[in-house]
Amino acid sequence: MNSEDMKRLVADFNRDWPEVTRTRDLLVLAEEATAA
């Protein structure tokens, strides 16, 4: 996440959309198994 490419992408995003707040969402993936 701290690579030069990512820093460049973040800078581009901030330049092009200064009013948009960047957030990180955590998605929890769960699988349910049922007995047959």
Side-chain angles (χ1 to χ4, degrees), residues 5-19:
D5 290 332
M6 184 58 80
K7 290 177 184 177
R8 190 167 33 255
L9 286 173
V10 170
D12 289 347
F13 183 96
N14 290 337
R15 181 195 66 228
D16 294 337
W17 296 288
E19 69 281 354

Side-chain angles (χ1 to χ4, degrees), residues 6 9-10 16 18 23 25-26 31 33-34:
M6 184 58 80
L9 286 173
V10 170
D16 294 337
T23 62
D25 294 326
L26 177 63
E31 183 176 323
T34 57

